[in-house]
Amino acid sequence: MSFQITVLKVLAGHPGGRASLAELTRAVAILMSSGRDWTDRTKRLAARAPGLEIFSQSFVLRDDAGWQITDAGRVFLASVETPIQVTADNEQPTEAAVAMPVSPQALTPVRLVVVNRRGRRRRARDRMRPSAVA
């Protein structure tokens, strides 16, 4: 399903939402091999759209000239890209929180903990062999 999300994203980024099969194949290959960031992002989006079927749901049309995203496909893509607002059980999300635009940086993970792989440095006295200290 993350492949189908990638197809929607590529088509949405092309002029008129249309791309030839060769253009689409090239763009999808680049994105799918670009690393874990893209793969993880499309997996998160696909998880919000179980049962996605871009052709039977008429999100993408195919013809001899290539593939084209439909208005329904654009609306669907926007809906899965809209962040989910987490609120307390008794609170309702405000309109400002729902309508807030999302920047690409907001979707990248933030490193919260620094892992010290070097460990503690030992003092010179502690590094000496016990027989040399006495």
Side-chain angles (χ1 to χ4, degrees):
M1 280 208 237
S2 61
F3 172 76
Q4 293 182 54
I5 296 287
T6 300
V7 168
L8 288 171
K9 292 289 290 175
V10 167
L11 292 173
H14 273 73
R18 176 176 282 282
S20 70
L21 187 54
E23 292 171 324
L24 183 64
T25 302
R26 184 176 40 253
V28 167
I30 290 168
L31 288 172
M32 296 294 277
S33 64
S34 66
R36 283 198 65 83
D37 288 343
W38 181 259
T39 304
D40 292 345
R41 180 176 181 208
T42 56
K43 283 182 181 179
R44 282 192 308 271
L45 293 175
R48 296 182 65 188
L52 174 63
E53 189 57 51
I54 60 175
F55 299 113
S56 66
Q57 292 173 312
S58 298
F59 294 156
V60 174
L61 301 176
R62 293 179 284 189
D63 61 22
D64 293 338
W67 293 14
Q68 183 173 14
I69 189 169
T70 63
D71 290 337
R74 289 183 190 277
V75 169
F76 168 78
L77 188 58
S79 72
V80 295
E81 289 181 320
T82 302
I84 299 172
Q85 297 296 322
V86 179
T87 60
D89 290 340
N90 59 351
E91 291 182 25
Q92 295 296 322
T94 63
E95 285 189 36
V98 174
M100 186 170 36
V102 178
S103 68
Q105 292 82 13
L107 297 175
T108 57
V110 177
R111 188 174 186 184
L112 299 176
V113 177
V114 176
V115 178
N116 184 0
R117 291 194 167 98
R118 293 179 69 186
R120 279 191 278 167
R121 292 196 168 204
R122 295 169 58 188
R123 291 182 288 179
R125 187 183 78 209
D126 295 337
R127 284 186 286 199
M128 288 190 223
R129 287 176 285 155
S131 61
V133 175

